[in-house]
Amino acid sequence: MLKKQFLSFLVTVILIGSIFSGCGTGSDTPNSPAAENQESSSTEAETPIASSMEPIILRMWGGVPPESGPQATIDLFNETFADRGIQAEYERFVNDDTGNLKLETSLMAGNDVDLYMSYGISQLQQRASGNMALDLTDLIARDGFDMFGTFSSMAEAYYIDGRPYSLPTKLDQYGIVLNKTMFDAAGIPIPSSWTVDEFREVAKQLTHGEGQDKVYGMFWNSQQEIGYVFGYISVQTLGGSPFYKAGGLEANINDPVNIRAVSLVNDMMNVDGSSPTHTDSVTQKLSQEAMFLTGKSAMTIGPWMVRSIKDKEQFPHDFETAFAPYPTAGDKNFTQGGYGDHLCLNPKSQNIDAAWELAKWYAQEGMLPVVAGGRVPSANTYNPDDVVSAFLSGAEDHIDAESAKNILIIPATNYAVPAYSNKLPEIDKKVNEELEAIFTGQKTVEEALNAANDFANQQLAG
Amino acid sequence: MKLSRQLKTDLTGYVFILPNIIGFLLFTLVPMVFSLIISFTDWNYTQGFGNIQWNGGVNFVEMWGDKWFTDSLINTIVFAVTVVPLTAVLALVLAVVIDRFCFARLPIRLAMFMPYISNVVAVAIVWVMMYSPWGPFTRMVQMVGVETPPQWLGDYTWALPAIIIMTIWSGLGYSVMIYTSSISSLPRDVYEAADIDGAGEVTKFFKLTVPFLSPTTFFLVITTFITSFQVFAPIQIMTRGGPGTSTHVLVYYIYTAAFNFYRMGYAASMSWILFVILFTITLVQWRGQKKWVSY
């Protein structure tokens, strides 16, 4: 009897031990250089990727729900690559702090992920320097892949320390989303350029009603991201890093352009009442869907909810949506926009060559299904008309094709590309707190932005 | 080979506690020692172990000039100092009331215990709705006659109290449960003697029940102090430390420093400060119990 118990105990110990040793081997690899990994796998996969054997199954992680395009893209890939012995699966992570932490943990722990999306340059930088993203230099050279020809020379702005760690698959070019039916009714033409003052006037004109029936001119969606105004308005004058002076060693948060841009939001929330206040947004958890698509606001900050605009079943509405460029708070030196959806390879993947095939195919051919969900491809391998019709598919009658094409799809040449990210998480946090203080009436715009600027300078000096 | 009987007994004992010891070593002791070491370093954990840079005690000095840290510390202390006594007093009164003057004690106790065993995330999300401008909390305040009710979670002054109210509500059931079980084991004869002497309910409560229950109170105060210093989930879900720094608490900032700023060393040093604070408080309470706890 005792013996039996002891035996089962022993088994338990061994089992537990094996779990730990599993962890151990996993954490041995992280320090091995990426190049080594890559070499070993490239030799075994030199022969056009193992067709007689079991197919390689790639795991791709992305932040977009599978049903909004990625699954269709992956299905298409599986069809196209079936005879080459590569198959893929899509896994969604939620693109927030927690979701990204989950992704990074998986990347650091081992090879559960073959390729994945990074959203934003600071994430990309973090992952490149942490050996969570593969340096693509060798693969690009081996295949003679033309980075700047396929995308544009702007791709270089997303290199980390001069090296490519991702394919920048998506064009992030946005604009103000507006209710064309309301504009037409008010006799306001859809602007092709406007200043913040003109914008404020238009928003005022479109605001009417009281209480529950009030229609606002604009919804800033500040509960989701309080600092949109920097990324979409300031950048057009100051360039992609509006928090930094040239060189990146000094803060520029209290630049007159930033002050003007933040004042615009503050005045519209708290003086004109032409947009819901920040407190209302937070305490009522307002969303673009709940405000714009129900006709409670005539404009909103960005077209990320194109999916919802097209989905008339879930979000019934009977107006036409159009797009306009962001208003400017100074000279228009840049166009808001850049690359997004940075497709990275996991250096610890066992199937780097196959993953690289998927990455190239995704960027150059596979994106039409995700275009329908609002993601415009950045590679020039697509026919613009195909992109426009995929973008509008199913919503031809209630999205204005002309402005969608001009504002969101046709690429510009002078994008505001972020240049600096030193201490950005800390600075972002401080700026957000100061914006809260402004929008809730605790501080004036100048006081708050000066405070944020002093803080940022301290951080940058330290 | 023949082992002495003593050694054999000892070994058997060790073998029995071995699974637990392994778990303790791997998941508690080693991480603790490691965190103490990295608290003296600057370490971006995403860049691997090679990136650990010794910086002496700089972290422990820097934090006192870091407004996020000092604000978090103050908020945490305010939080604990309100939650702990309020929970204890409310729980004691409720436990006595339920025990003495209530029908259907069991369902009531069960109902009070529900929030404690419910998922914190679910509870927090429900409370976000409770505090919304259309929620029952705001409506109640309006019914009492307040013209402009506070914006609760969106309000610099009211966000922390709002979370304190929720925390007390969700922890109350546990304390009541502990108190009622202690009350049921109180010696009846002493109460009968008090009755004969003509003591009223209030006198009995203060002269008998409170002192009799002091060991329970002591236990509850220590444990709720520790848990309220570690509050995190409701903050993360309901306010993310905002507005401003008004609900920024220590554990939330430790999390932010580690996973948003990627400063693992700094975060570790703050958690050691948290440990020192908790240890000191517990020690003081332990010493102080001679004054007010009667066994």
Side-chain angles (χ1 to χ4, degrees):
Chain A
M1 192 62 206
L2 248 172
K3 226 176 178 177
K4 213 172 177 181
Q5 278 180 359
F6 183 71
L7 204 74
S8 63
F9 164 68
L10 207 71
V11 171
T12 321
V13 170
I14 292 169
L15 274 178
I16 293 172
S18 65
I19 293 170
F20 295 144
S21 65
C23 293
T25 48
S27 56
D28 276 345
T29 35
N31 287 331
S32 68
E36 218 175 83
N37 235 329
Q38 188 189 316
E39 243 170 302
S40 64
S41 56
S42 72
T43 43
E44 72 187 15
E46 208 73 287
T47 38
I49 307 165
S51 53
S52 60
M53 290 189 292
E54 289 276 291
I56 292 167
I57 296 187
L58 296 171
R59 273 150 307 179
M60 172 172 167
W61 285 36
V64 183
E67 66 275 12
S68 332
Q71 192 55 51
T73 290
I74 292 297
D75 290 345
L76 192 62
F77 175 82
N78 287 342
E79 213 176 284
T80 321
F81 280 70
D83 54 341
R84 296 181 58 186
I86 315 179
Q87 296 289 286
E89 283 166 6
Y90 181 78
E91 175 146 359
R92 190 216 175 171
F93 68 93
V94 180
N95 181 26
D96 60 8
D97 287 351
T98 324
N100 280 297
L101 189 61
K102 184 182 163 198
L103 171 65
E104 287 177 4
T105 317
S106 301
L107 288 170
M108 280 188 283
N111 51 15
D112 276 351
V113 190
D114 293 300
L115 61 175
Y116 62 92
M117 287 291 180
S118 292
Y119 302 94
I121 196 156
S122 57
Q123 279 182 6
L124 188 60
Q125 189 161 39
Q126 197 62 47
R127 289 164 188 173
S129 60
N131 193 29
M132 289 181 268
L134 183 71
D135 178 356
L136 303 175
T137 311
D138 294 344
L139 289 171
I140 289 171
R142 188 192 75 189
D143 294 3
F145 183 78
D146 184 359
M147 270 301 253
F148 300 154
T150 311
F151 305 104
S152 75
S153 56
M154 185 168 71
E156 199 171 357
Y158 297 89
Y159 281 21
I160 307 295
D161 301 327
R163 291 175 157 267
Y165 284 90
S166 70
L167 294 183
T169 58
K170 171 169 163 261
L171 181 63
D172 274 339
Q173 179 174 284
Y174 302 129
I176 297 281
V177 182
L178 55 89
N179 184 323
K180 186 165 181 289
T181 313
M182 281 188 195
F183 270 68
D184 291 348
I188 304 168
I190 293 170
S192 54
S193 74
W194 44 357
T195 64
V196 287
D197 295 330
E198 289 161 353
F199 176 77
R200 186 178 166 188
E201 253 340 284
V202 168
K204 236 198 267 185
Q205 280 179 44
L206 291 164
T207 304
H208 57 84
E210 275 306 320
Q212 292 280 42
D213 300 324
K214 180 160 181 175
V215 173
Y216 293 93
M218 172 70 184
F219 171 56
W220 287 101
N221 201 16
S222 62
Q223 100 295 349
Q224 190 176 61
E225 169 77 64
I226 196 170
Y228 277 137
V229 66
F230 297 108
Y232 299 114
I233 295 180
S234 300
V235 289
Q236 298 180 91
T237 309
L238 298 176
S241 292
F243 291 167
Y244 301 87
K245 289 209 164 91
L249 300 173
E250 255 184 280
N252 193 33
I253 298 166
N254 57 0
D255 188 282
V257 172
N258 284 331
I259 291 177
R260 219 170 294 137
V262 173
S263 301
L264 168 74
V265 181
N266 189 37
D267 289 342
M268 286 173 67
M269 284 178 174
N270 297 322
V271 180
D272 302 347
S274 58
S275 99
T277 60
H278 177 64
T279 311
D280 279 350
S281 301
V282 170
T283 55
Q284 301 174 37
K285 295 233 173 269
L286 300 179
S287 65
Q288 297 203 102
E289 280 84 354
M291 291 303 294
F292 180 76
L293 290 180
T294 54
K296 283 186 179 172
S297 78
M299 296 183 279
T300 187
I301 182 75
W304 310 284
M305 73 320 181
V306 155
R307 274 202 309 263
S308 310
I309 300 177
K310 292 168 75 172
D311 188 353
K312 269 192 149 176
E313 295 243 316
Q314 232 196 317
F315 304 100
H317 57 281
D318 53 7
F319 57 82
E320 192 178 354
T321 300
F323 305 91
Y326 288 110
T328 48
D331 295 337
K332 185 163 176 165
N333 304 324
F334 300 92
T335 305
Q336 178 280 325
Y339 288 149
D341 285 18
H342 304 280
L343 188 51
C344 302
L345 269 58
N346 180 4
K348 295 173 196 96
S349 162
Q350 303 294 311
N351 305 306
I352 284 179
D353 283 272
W356 171 238
E357 290 305 316
L358 171 52
K360 279 190 298 184
W361 177 86
Y362 179 90
Q364 294 175 290
E365 291 169 56
M367 282 184 71
L368 283 180
V370 295
V371 174
R375 312 187 94 77
V376 176
S378 51
N380 62 3
T381 44
Y382 297 87
N383 179 343
D385 292 333
D386 290 349
V387 175
V388 173
S389 65
F391 189 90
L392 296 176
S393 67
E396 290 83 356
D397 58 332
H398 62 280
I399 294 182
D400 176 57
E402 194 57 31
S403 65
K405 188 174 171 183
N406 290 336
I407 303 298
L408 307 176
I409 296 172
I410 304 270
T413 49
N414 57 341
Y415 287 118
V417 181
Y420 314 111
S421 61
N422 192 12
K423 291 282 176 188
L424 194 53
E426 283 89 343
I427 295 174
D428 262 338
K429 185 172 159 66
K430 182 66 179 177
V431 168
N432 289 352
E433 283 172 15
E434 294 297 335
L435 288 182
E436 256 173 346
I438 297 170
F439 297 155
T440 53
Q442 317 269 320
K443 286 187 183 176
T444 68
V445 177
E446 285 83 0
E447 277 167 15
L449 293 189
N450 283 336
N453 202 63
D454 292 345
F455 173 87
N457 273 330
Q458 269 170 25
Q459 289 283 318
L460 292 170
Chain B
M1 196 172 84
K2 224 175 176 187
L3 293 171
S4 80
R5 176 170 293 188
Q6 180 59 42
L7 188 59
K8 212 168 172 183
T9 334
D10 285 358
L11 270 182
T12 321
Y14 283 120
V15 168
F16 273 111
I17 59 168
L18 191 63
N20 202 348
I21 290 282
I22 292 178
F24 170 77
L25 283 179
L26 273 164
F27 296 117
T28 310
L29 192 65
V30 171
M32 252 170 69
V33 173
F34 185 59
S35 81
L36 182 60
I37 296 169
I38 61 171
S39 70
F40 290 95
T41 65
D42 210 356
W43 182 36
N44 178 342
Y45 67 98
T46 61
Q47 300 182 356
F49 292 111
N51 185 250
I52 301 182
Q53 278 155 10
W54 188 260
N55 69 357
V58 172
N59 290 340
F60 290 97
V61 180
E62 183 196 332
M63 62 177 74
W64 302 104
D66 179 351
K67 196 165 176 304
W68 283 322
F69 174 76
T70 48
D71 280 3
S72 305
L73 190 59
I74 292 166
N75 287 335
T76 312
I77 291 170
V78 170
F79 182 85
V81 166
T82 359
V83 168
V84 174
L86 280 178
T87 311
V89 170
L90 274 175
L92 181 56
V93 171
L94 276 172
V96 172
V97 168
I98 290 172
D99 188 68
R100 289 286 148 77
F101 311 104
C102 239
F103 295 108
R105 275 174 231 168
L106 195 64
I108 288 178
R109 269 158 59 180
L110 267 181
M112 294 196 64
F113 200 54
M114 281 306 287
Y116 182 72
I117 52 172
S118 303
N119 186 312
V120 195
V121 177
V123 166
I125 288 173
V126 170
W127 276 77
V128 169
M129 291 190 257
M130 301 261 290
Y131 283 130
S132 83
W134 323 112
F137 246 89
T138 318
R139 283 295 148 93
M140 254 159 37
V141 174
Q142 275 171 325
M143 266 159 57
V144 176
V146 182
E147 298 251 318
T148 47
Q151 296 280 4
W152 298 112
L153 299 174
D155 194 304
Y156 281 79
T157 351
W158 284 100
L160 192 60
I163 289 181
I164 288 173
I165 292 172
M166 189 207 89
T167 313
I168 292 175
W169 171 84
S170 67
L172 202 55
Y174 170 74
S175 301
V176 168
M177 201 72 142
I178 304 272
Y179 269 130
T180 40
S181 61
S182 306
I183 286 175
S184 59
S185 62
L186 290 185
R188 292 282 153 198
D189 48 347
V190 184
Y191 282 87
E192 279 160 21
D195 280 335
I196 294 168
D197 287 346
E201 286 296 337
V202 178
T203 321
K204 279 193 282 179
F205 177 75
F206 282 109
K207 299 284 177 187
L208 294 177
T209 313
V210 173
F212 271 139
L213 289 177
S214 58
T216 313
T217 311
F218 176 65
F219 165 75
L220 282 174
V221 164
I222 286 195
T223 47
T224 40
F225 231 110
I226 293 174
T227 47
S228 46
F229 256 84
Q230 295 172 339
V231 59
F232 173 74
I235 306 282
Q236 164 82 352
I237 294 155
M238 295 167 79
T239 62
R240 301 194 151 237
T245 53
S246 57
T247 59
H248 222 268
V249 292
L250 261 187
V251 179
Y252 182 74
Y253 186 44
I254 291 172
Y255 170 84
T256 311
F259 298 113
N260 287 11
F261 301 164
Y262 298 98
R263 297 185 62 192
M264 200 47 104
Y266 190 49
S269 62
M270 288 192 287
S271 28
W272 275 90
I273 293 293
L274 176 63
F275 167 74
V276 168
I277 292 170
L278 282 177
F279 191 73
T280 317
I281 288 172
T282 312
L283 210 63
V284 167
Q285 285 175 331
W286 206 260
R287 288 278 157 79
Q289 66 167 322
K290 287 185 197 114
K291 297 234 160 54
W292 64 279
V293 180
S294 48
Y295 289 99

